[in-house]
Amino acid sequence: MMLSRILFITVLVAMITIAGCAPQAPRASEAGVYDIGKLRVTLENGWYEQRGAELPDTQARSKTWSREGLEHDRLFVTGGVDDGEPVFDARDYTGLPVFRSNMSAAEVAEFAAQSLQRVLWNGSASIAASNVRDRGFTGLPGFEFELSADVPGSASHLGIAGGFIEEGRLYLTIYLAESPGYFERHRQAAQAVIDSSVPTMKTIRRP
């Protein structure tokens, strides 16, 4: 009797532990304004927040959404990377490139591509940045660029990204999706999120 009770408790504890470690199901995000770290973005309906241990963006300053599931597309938003820090959580990965506040737009694009290459698809993909260009974000100077990912054994991905450096911090939004297909289908929705980016708790300089 005692042995059976011990076995029951052991199995119960194991099940609770496994459940606690399992990735959480995607959660539909309502259309509206979201603050991620020190960045504010606006989402329309159709985005699903991705939460779970398999994601590299485990810091409180970052969130990941998807419209089709992470195997098909992802929207990554980070709200303030400090000088000398990686964009992803360094506790889970080694050798990540770090952000420098004096980076040019082209250097930020390369930094983002190298970071994604390190953490996605177990480091097997080849990810490149291109078409870096200047743009503004509600009175702040910023940049946009495009991404392409060659994924062995899987569909190729294309991406768009936009962000800015303000007070020594990097604010960045990246959308990456299978192409042809999901990237073309959801590019406009992703671009709308990028366009909505603005730092929180700051008086914006207007021209």
Side-chain angles (χ1 to χ4, degrees), residues 40 45 64 77 140 178 202:
R40 178 169 294 167
N45 287 322
T64 296
V77 182
L140 293 172
E178 289 181 354
K202 178 175 177 58

Side-chain angles (χ1 to χ4, degrees), residues 63-106:
K63 283 188 180 296
T64 296
W65 282 275
S66 176
R67 296 181 78 90
E68 303 289 346
L70 290 180
E71 69 272 24
H72 301 300
D73 76 323
R74 67 181 68 217
L75 176 77
F76 175 76
V77 182
T78 182
V81 182
D82 290 321
D83 184 83
E85 287 189 354
V87 69
F88 296 116
D89 197 330
R91 294 172 296 180
D92 297 331
Y93 300 91
T94 59
L96 286 173
V98 298
F99 165 68
R100 296 299 180 189
S101 59
N102 62 352
M103 281 180 167
S104 66

Side-chain angles (χ1 to χ4, degrees), residues 8 19-20 32 37 47 62 70-71 88 105 115 120 143 154 160 174-175 193 199 202-203:
F8 172 77
W47 292 105
S62 303
L70 290 180
E71 69 272 24
F88 296 116
S115 299
L120 297 181
F143 46 80
S154 183
I160 52 174
I174 299 171
Y175 181 65
V193 180
K202 178 175 177 58
T203 300

